[in-house]
Amino acid sequence: MLSSLFFAQIPGMVNYNDGDGLNNSYTYSISQDKTGFLWIGSDNGLFRFDGKEFKHFTNKQGLKNIEALSCIPLSNGEIFIAPFLNDFAYLKNGRIINSDFNRELQKMQFTVNPGYYLDGESLYLYSAYNLDNIYMYRNEKVSTIPLEIKSQTDSYYAFGLNIADKMLYLHRQGKRENIQAYNIMTKKKISCNISMKKNTVIFRKGDIFVFRNKRTIEVYKLYNKLYFKKIKSYTAQENIHRLVIDNNYRLWLCPEEGGALYFKQPLLDESRLSDPVRMMENYILNDILVDRDNNTWFSTRNNGIFFIADQFFKNYVHFPIKNNSSNIKAIAKNSHGIFLGYNEAKSGIYHNGQITDLVFERNIKIEHKSIFSEGNTVIFGLTRSLFQYDIVTRKKYFLKDYLLKNIVPYTPGSIILCTSYGLIAYNYKTGSYTEILSKERMYTALPYARDSLLAGNFKDLYKVNTVSKKKKIFLKGYYFTDLKKFGHNLYIGATNVNGIILFSNSKILRKITEKTGLITGQVKKIEVENKHVFWASTNYGLSRVELKGSAVKINNFTQTDGLPSNAVSGCIISGDTIYVGTSKGLGILSVKNLMSQKKFINKKVIINSVVIGGREIFDIRQPLTGQTPHNDVTFNVSFPDFISQGKISYRYKIDGLSNAWQTGTSQKIIFSSLPPGSYTFKIFGIGYNGKQSYGSTNLQFEILPKFWQTWWFRLMMISLGAAVLFILIHFYFQKQRNKKLETLYYEKKIAELELQAIKAQINPHFIYNCLNSIQFLLYKKDYKETENYLEVFAQMIRKTLYYSEKTFMSIKDEADYLSLYLSMEKLRLKDLFDYKISLSENINENWVLPSLLIQPFVENAIKHGIAGLKDRKGNIQVSFEHTGTSICIIIEDNGTGINSKRKTSPDSFGVRLSQKRIETFRQLFETHIILEIHDLSEKEQRPGTQIKLYIKPYENQNTGIHH
């Protein structure tokens, strides 16, 4: 049976070969892992393809046999490599492990290439003819499932292993008997309902079994593990050397003479097999893969691999059109069909799924410039010829030779011919010509008003009066390739380099360029869909422009979206269908399907490895750390978006280093001399039309500091520096203090000497006064009183000599000493006065005072205060009080007081000595003693003198007064 369609090369198909890095002769199997990478076995080792580059694994990387027939991705990320016969290996974390490194692999030995069954992380291998064992490879270990199905006379052919139901199917070669289902665990056989012919090869996918015997293909469906039901069959015209059931359960047959036979309906559909589509006629195919995105891959002998995107395949295989491969240069439509003008003197009329050729001049390589159609009339404008075609009579008429640039609708029944000579109106109903503008090379035109039109050359746009034949400049500096009216007083102009211009009758309203989102600034044709939407045809694809008020929404479409080619000459809208004329044929697409394209690519960037800390890490699940000086980080990345056909870039940044995103096309992203810290690498993949991966791939890593860069080391150094600085400052101030102390020491020594000298002065003065008193008593011959006085004097002398050696004395001792002194003076003066010494309740008797400080003031009160009283008896009071802020010692008498005539009291020798002592105490002990002398006659209107001594608390602490 002949195949219904033939495609030697599908438009948009991409070939990858040695020029792209796939340097081999034979490519065998193609498989895809869970991350999206393609794995290609070849006669020159193993290749991994990520959509942009091929990574090659050979004997240098560890393959002992570079004839890699199969490469089987496992769910744990390993790639099991099955070479010709034995020498099995696997790829793990970027490294190939062979049997020299893992002797477990040596357990598997086959005399013919084995079949396999994949179950997640487990791979089961068995021989179809040598049924001793089934080998299970899992996590770098090999275990054996023994089989007990040997026969004395005939050998078995095994097929259809399924671990889930523990069944292996057997056929005894040379015997006409039914297939047997063998339970690999119980070792029992059960007969099935069908037999098979000798030399039949069987391929299984799920419950579908395909039997191939030479040219005959039979498809069975398995029920209840034992019952086979035939659901389809096909007989090819030549032997089939390879068959494939793809992920959509569609059948592919690879004939020995080349090409592929593709059956469009799934095998799960129990209807009969329709006629296959034949393609790739010129290539011997070894394998076919439909990947996760429904893109199709062909592995060939001597020609690398071929790729066709899902949309291409749907448009050109599922909805095929015969002879649809010509280079279309012009397109138009009417109710009779779609009219195509090629890059030769031939046209095509598309109607009801078929293209009918219309030849004007055979073997003449002149291309179409424009096509006009209305009613039954179609006018084909070629580079130097003009033809009129009647759809009803199917007759074509040669009109005239023009160096044509464009055809534009004019008035009912007429058109404008834009030529290198000028503008010419042609009435296709009467066949008459009218010259509008002569001797001007015009590329486009558009009716503007009743007696005027717009006309553009390669430089400017003019307004032409059709009556006066005069023109004036309308828009300067724009090479318009097409003009369309878009609304009331609104026009669209496609330009050669400046994108799309929207203008009114007075000014330019808007420019739509690449910056706005247009696919390119070089626009060929404009097709208006409605009052808000128009389409722009370019050499880089198709742009749909939607205007909503001030907003512009642009969707760009390329080969990836199903266009036969990116070189689009024009398009036609009819309902939901858009007909696109390209350099590789007519594209027929659904506008709804085009507009339903995703805004993002449903993939993420894969980080293959990271070079950090001076080593390359493939297992990026482990902690990633580097350390100065190995603080350079390299990320090896891939974005396996195959429909972008290698036009892939990356957008990335490192959180913790910078918030700015960077963009580049290199798959090796390097960051040099990163400072210590914790970082997160974020990366997006960018594919065709600028679409981005739906999410970022994030990877955390850390650059560890050297010990001198750690916070604790810095803190330690700061602390150490602070300590050293503190010690230096301490030593400096200690030195200054020592110098000051040394100075103070000598000053105190001097002060002590002065104090001793003062005390030495006080003692003779006191003794002198006492001796005068004794002399006075002896003079009066009062010997008894003299004896009493001498006894008290002796006590006074002893106490005075004792306390004169002391710097401080307690308040109690001071009060006793003053009492002894006053009693002695009272005895001497014959009870001339009375005295009283009192201590307030808040005075602590143990507090200390400078020794012998108060006695001179008491002596002065007796001598200068009460000694000369005639009218009253003298009275001296000494009190010790604590005011809360200081100790106050009050010496008060009722004598004559201090007045302007008597200044002996403050100038007395004893008081002067006491004042000197006060100053010395201030210097020596930093004790500030305040002395106040008051005349009571001025202060309280009573006779007498009052002396107050204040000692403040801080002074008490400094001198030890309180304690």
Side-chain angles (χ1 to χ4, degrees):
M1 186 180 295
L2 293 174
S3 59
S4 62
L5 289 170
F6 166 74
F7 292 100
Q9 176 86 17
I10 300 175
M13 184 174 287
V14 180
N15 178 224
Y16 297 100
N17 49 47
D18 55 356
D20 304 290
L22 186 63
N23 52 332
N24 55 54
S25 295
Y26 285 18
T27 54
Y28 299 126
S29 68
I30 307 179
S31 54
Q32 187 178 31
D33 65 20
K34 64 178 182 179
T35 61
F37 289 128
L38 285 189
W39 295 90
I40 304 153
S42 78
D43 62 345
N44 190 26
L46 177 68
F47 290 86
R48 187 197 73 189
F49 185 48
D50 62 3
K52 194 166 186 177
E53 69 176 16
F54 289 89
K55 185 173 179 60
H56 193 189
F57 300 89
T58 65
N59 57 335
K60 293 181 180 180
Q61 284 75 37
L63 286 180
K64 296 175 71 174
N65 186 342
I66 63 172
E67 286 276 350
L69 299 182
S70 298
C71 36
I72 308 162
L74 308 182
S75 62
N76 61 0
E78 294 180 14
I79 306 298
F80 190 86
I81 306 166
F84 183 72
L85 293 180
N86 303 305
D87 292 324
F88 297 102
Y90 57 92
L91 178 69
K92 183 175 183 179
N93 293 330
R95 180 185 171 208
I96 289 181
I97 310 297
N98 58 36
S99 58
D100 293 339
F101 294 95
N102 186 353
R103 296 189 177 275
E104 288 283 308
L105 299 175
Q106 296 180 3
K107 296 178 180 179
M108 296 184 291
Q109 297 293 323
F110 296 95
T111 56
V112 295
N113 295 321
Y116 66 87
Y117 176 87
L118 183 61
D119 182 22
E121 296 182 3
S122 300
L123 178 67
Y124 298 84
L125 296 96
Y126 65 98
S127 172
Y129 300 100
N130 185 5
L131 300 178
D132 293 331
N133 300 293
I134 295 175
Y135 297 99
M136 182 186 77
Y137 170 83
R138 179 184 175 90
N139 293 329
E140 304 184 86
K141 298 291 184 181
V142 175
S143 58
T144 302
I145 302 174
L147 301 176
E148 300 174 1
I149 50 179
K150 291 183 179 180
S151 171
Q152 297 289 336
T153 58
D154 300 304
S155 60
Y156 280 99
Y157 168 72
F159 63 94
L161 174 65
N162 188 296
I163 296 298
D165 55 23
K166 302 178 179 58
M167 287 295 179
L168 178 66
Y169 294 89
L170 306 174
H171 168 64
R172 192 192 297 254
Q173 298 184 75
K175 297 289 185 179
R176 188 69 177 180
E177 61 183 32
N178 286 358
I179 294 171
Q180 295 181 342
Y182 176 75
N183 189 304
I184 61 175
M185 302 306 294
T186 64
K187 316 301 182 186
K188 293 182 179 180
K189 305 186 190 76
I190 303 176
S191 180
C192 297
N193 64 308
I194 63 168
S195 62
M196 58 181 286
K197 297 178 182 178
K198 187 177 181 181
N199 299 322
T200 298
V201 177
I202 301 174
F203 183 86
R204 178 181 186 180
K205 186 177 182 68
D207 289 332
I208 298 297
F209 287 75
V210 180
F211 290 51
R212 172 176 63 86
N213 189 287
K214 295 181 180 179
R215 300 180 181 182
T216 302
I217 304 296
E218 295 178 326
V219 181
Y220 289 86
K221 187 172 183 179
L222 178 65
Y223 295 90
N224 299 322
K225 302 180 185 179
L226 301 175
Y227 180 75
F228 288 85
K229 179 183 178 181
K230 185 176 179 180
I231 58 175
K232 303 177 192 294
S233 64
Y234 175 78
T235 302
Q237 294 181 326
E238 54 194 307
N239 291 337
I240 305 298
H241 82 98
R242 170 90 169 142
L243 64 86
V244 173
I245 302 175
D246 65 25
N247 291 334
N248 300 314
Y249 276 84
R250 289 185 169 90
L251 179 64
W252 297 79
L253 303 178
C254 301
E256 292 179 351
E257 300 299 321
L261 301 177
Y262 172 68
F263 297 85
K264 291 187 289 185
Q265 74 273 30
L267 295 180
L268 297 177
D269 179 359
E270 295 189 5
S271 62
R272 61 177 291 274
L273 284 174
S274 63
D275 293 340
V277 176
R278 185 162 190 163
M279 61 189 72
M280 304 294 291
E281 177 72 10
N282 299 326
Y283 304 98
I284 303 296
L285 303 182
N286 290 324
D287 198 10
I288 299 170
L289 170 72
V290 175
D291 66 20
R292 294 179 178 179
D293 299 317
N294 283 325
N295 306 311
T296 304
W297 300 83
F298 301 97
S299 170
T300 71
R301 183 187 304 173
N302 299 321
N303 290 282
I305 62 175
F306 287 84
F307 163 80
I308 179 169
D310 178 38
Q311 288 297 332
F312 278 109
F313 200 82
K314 289 177 180 177
N315 290 338
Y316 287 88
V317 176
H318 283 235
F319 308 102
I321 304 171
K322 291 182 179 180
N323 64 314
N324 182 25
S325 59
S326 297
N327 187 340
I328 300 173
K329 306 300 290 186
I331 185 170
K333 76 163 184 175
N334 64 17
S335 58
H336 297 282
I338 306 296
F339 302 95
L340 311 174
Y342 300 134
N343 64 338
E344 55 183 322
K346 186 176 75 170
S347 179
I349 302 174
Y350 173 79
H351 185 66
N352 291 334
Q354 293 184 349
I355 295 178
T356 303
D357 288 339
L358 183 62
V359 179
F360 300 107
E361 298 180 59
R362 295 189 181 278
N363 303 320
I364 302 298
K365 297 297 182 182
I366 57 173
E367 66 181 23
H368 281 72
K369 286 295 186 180
S370 184
I371 301 174
F372 169 81
S373 66
E374 185 177 60
N376 295 329
T377 301
V378 183
I379 297 175
F380 296 91
L382 284 73
T383 303
R384 57 178 176 81
S385 299
L386 197 65
F387 292 90
Q388 184 170 330
Y389 178 73
D390 189 300
I391 297 174
V392 177
T393 63
R394 298 186 181 182
K395 292 182 179 181
K396 53 182 181 291
Y397 307 94
F398 172 74
L399 299 179
K400 280 190 177 183
D401 283 335
Y402 287 111
L403 292 177
L404 190 70
K405 303 301 180 184
N406 205 348
I407 300 176
V408 178
Y410 191 29
T411 59
S414 69
I415 58 174
I416 296 175
L417 305 176
C418 302
T419 72
S420 60
Y421 175 76
L423 298 178
I424 299 168
Y426 170 65
N427 191 310
Y428 54 84
K429 291 184 178 180
T430 63
S432 60
Y433 296 87
T434 303
E435 185 179 279
I436 297 175
L437 187 66
S438 61
K439 299 181 181 179
E440 291 280 353
R441 183 187 294 268
M442 290 296 170
Y443 288 87
T444 187
L446 178 68
Y448 181 68
R450 186 173 60 85
D451 58 353
S452 64
L453 54 83
L454 297 176
N457 61 17
F458 67 93
K459 185 179 180 182
D460 303 310
L461 185 65
Y462 296 92
K463 186 176 180 182
V464 180
N465 189 299
T466 57
V467 177
S468 64
K469 313 296 183 182
K470 293 182 179 180
K471 64 182 178 66
K472 64 178 181 179
I473 195 74
F474 186 79
L475 288 177
K476 190 174 183 179
Y478 295 101
Y479 176 7
F480 285 97
T481 56
D482 194 16
L483 295 169
K484 289 290 191 298
K485 188 169 184 178
F486 194 49
H488 176 69
N489 196 23
L490 180 60
Y491 304 89
I492 307 172
T495 72
N496 192 40
V497 293
N498 295 298
I500 297 171
I501 309 295
L502 273 70
F503 58 92
S504 67
N505 57 9
S506 60
K507 62 180 179 179
I508 293 176
L509 302 176
R510 175 176 289 167
K511 295 180 181 180
I512 301 174
T513 64
E514 290 181 75
K515 292 182 179 179
T516 315
L518 204 62
I519 199 168
T520 180
Q522 185 181 14
V523 182
K524 294 180 179 179
K525 291 289 183 181
I526 296 293
E527 174 71 8
V528 176
E529 180 178 341
N530 55 49
K531 62 181 181 180
H532 298 295
V533 178
F534 63 89
W535 296 72
S537 301
T538 77
N539 278 330
Y540 297 90
L542 196 61
S543 293
R544 181 182 185 270
V545 183
E546 183 176 2
L547 301 180
K548 288 187 176 180
S550 60
V552 178
K553 180 182 178 182
I554 299 178
N555 295 90
N556 296 316
F557 307 101
T558 63
Q559 284 182 311
T560 302
D561 303 289
L563 299 183
S565 166
N566 286 340
V568 179
S569 59
C571 65
I572 296 294
I573 300 290
S574 179
D576 181 57
T577 304
I578 182 169
Y579 300 89
V580 186
T582 76
S583 61
K584 293 184 179 179
L586 177 66
I588 305 174
L589 302 101
S590 165
V591 175
K592 182 180 179 181
N593 290 342
L594 284 177
M595 294 305 297
S596 65
Q597 64 175 334
K598 295 179 180 178
K599 295 181 180 180
F600 298 97
I601 298 174
N602 193 29
K603 291 181 174 65
K604 294 176 75 172
V605 172
I606 298 169
I607 301 177
N608 302 313
S609 68
V610 180
V611 180
I612 187 172
R615 61 194 181 101
E616 186 171 12
I617 299 173
F618 292 89
D619 184 7
I620 59 176
R621 295 171 297 180
Q622 62 180 288
L624 303 173
T625 58
Q627 189 177 45
T628 305
H630 301 294
N631 54 348
D632 296 340
V633 181
T634 301
F635 299 93
N636 295 307
V637 299
S638 295
F639 186 49
D641 181 49
F642 301 114
I643 60 176
S644 293
Q645 298 178 19
K647 296 176 182 178
I648 291 169
S649 57
Y650 301 93
R651 183 169 175 260
Y652 54 87
K653 72 171 182 175
I654 289 185
D655 279 351
L657 180 68
S658 172
N659 290 325
W661 290 90
Q662 302 179 56
T663 303
T665 58
S666 175
Q667 294 183 271
K668 184 176 289 187
I669 300 172
I670 302 173
F671 293 91
S672 301
S673 303
L674 290 177
S678 296
Y679 302 103
T680 300
F681 176 63
K682 294 184 176 181
I683 184 168
F684 289 91
I686 302 175
Y688 74 100
N689 284 347
K691 289 185 180 180
Q692 186 171 278
S693 56
Y694 74 92
S696 66
T697 299
N698 303 335
L699 184 64
Q700 293 182 339
F701 67 97
E702 185 177 7
I703 300 297
L704 300 175
K706 286 293 187 180
F707 71 90
W708 62 79
Q709 296 174 311
T710 57
W711 66 268
W712 57 265
F713 181 80
R714 290 175 179 170
L715 181 61
M716 183 180 71
M717 293 304 295
I718 291 172
S719 302
L720 183 60
V724 171
L725 182 62
F726 175 79
I727 292 171
L728 292 175
I729 293 173
H730 176 74
F731 280 152
Y732 172 78
F733 284 107
Q734 185 68 33
K735 187 175 180 180
Q736 295 298 110
R737 185 180 177 188
N738 289 341
K739 287 179 67 177
K740 186 176 181 180
L741 288 175
E742 187 177 355
T743 303
L744 289 175
Y745 173 76
Y746 288 112
E747 288 177 353
K748 287 184 178 181
K749 278 291 185 183
I750 295 171
E752 287 177 0
L753 292 174
E754 288 179 353
L755 186 61
Q756 290 176 3
I758 291 168
K759 287 181 179 180
Q761 288 178 313
I762 290 174
N763 291 340
H765 172 72
F766 173 73
I767 293 171
Y768 173 74
N769 289 338
C770 290
L771 290 177
N772 281 340
S773 298
I774 293 171
Q775 183 182 5
F776 177 74
L777 290 173
L778 290 174
Y779 176 75
K780 293 173 60 177
K781 295 182 181 181
D782 192 346
Y783 300 112
K784 186 176 179 180
E785 289 295 327
T786 301
E787 183 180 354
N788 291 337
Y789 192 86
L790 283 172
E791 184 178 350
V792 176
F793 175 69
Q795 294 179 26
M796 280 294 299
I797 288 297
R798 285 196 300 273
K799 286 185 177 291
T800 301
L801 292 175
Y802 175 76
Y803 290 125
S804 66
E805 294 296 323
K806 302 293 184 181
T807 304
F808 298 97
M809 60 191 297
S810 67
I811 291 177
K812 181 179 183 302
D813 290 339
E814 181 70 47
D816 292 342
Y817 180 76
L818 291 176
S819 178
L820 185 62
Y821 170 71
L822 286 170
S823 65
M824 185 183 72
E825 287 293 277
K826 183 177 181 180
L827 180 64
R828 181 177 68 82
L829 297 176
K830 299 294 185 180
D831 292 328
L832 183 63
F833 68 91
D834 291 326
Y835 70 88
K836 182 181 179 181
I837 300 173
S838 61
L839 278 70
S840 66
E841 293 181 356
N842 54 2
I843 286 292
N844 189 336
E845 292 180 348
N846 294 321
W847 290 349
V848 294
L849 301 170
S851 63
L852 303 179
L853 179 64
I854 302 173
Q855 184 273 336
F857 296 102
V858 174
E859 180 184 348
N860 196 60
I862 296 171
K863 184 177 179 180
H864 301 289
I866 63 172
L869 290 177
K870 300 296 185 183
D871 58 340
R872 61 186 180 277
K873 189 176 184 178
N875 184 25
I876 295 176
Q877 293 185 7
V878 180
S879 61
F880 295 85
E881 298 178 359
H882 189 264
T883 64
T885 59
S886 63
I887 295 174
C888 180
I889 302 155
I890 304 172
I891 303 109
E892 186 177 304
D893 64 70
N894 61 343
T896 57
I898 300 171
N899 52 42
S900 58
K901 295 181 179 181
R902 295 184 62 181
K903 297 186 186 265
T904 55
S905 178
D907 295 332
S908 67
F909 181 71
V911 172
R912 290 198 305 271
L913 288 179
S914 295
Q915 288 177 332
K916 267 188 97 172
R917 288 188 71 205
I918 289 171
E919 290 300 323
T920 303
F921 268 100
R922 287 176 181 170
Q923 180 182 2
L924 190 61
F925 301 107
E926 298 181 1
T927 303
H928 297 284
I929 304 173
I930 299 173
L931 172 63
E932 294 181 358
I933 301 176
H934 302 283
D935 191 332
L936 294 177
S937 61
E938 298 176 357
K939 183 179 181 184
E940 300 181 8
Q941 288 77 41
R942 62 185 178 89
T945 302
Q946 186 184 68
I947 295 174
K948 288 185 177 181
L949 291 168
Y950 293 95
I951 302 175
K952 294 184 178 179
Y954 71 91
E955 296 162 343
N956 296 341
Q957 291 176 356
N958 292 338
T959 60
I961 289 176
H962 283 192
H963 302 288

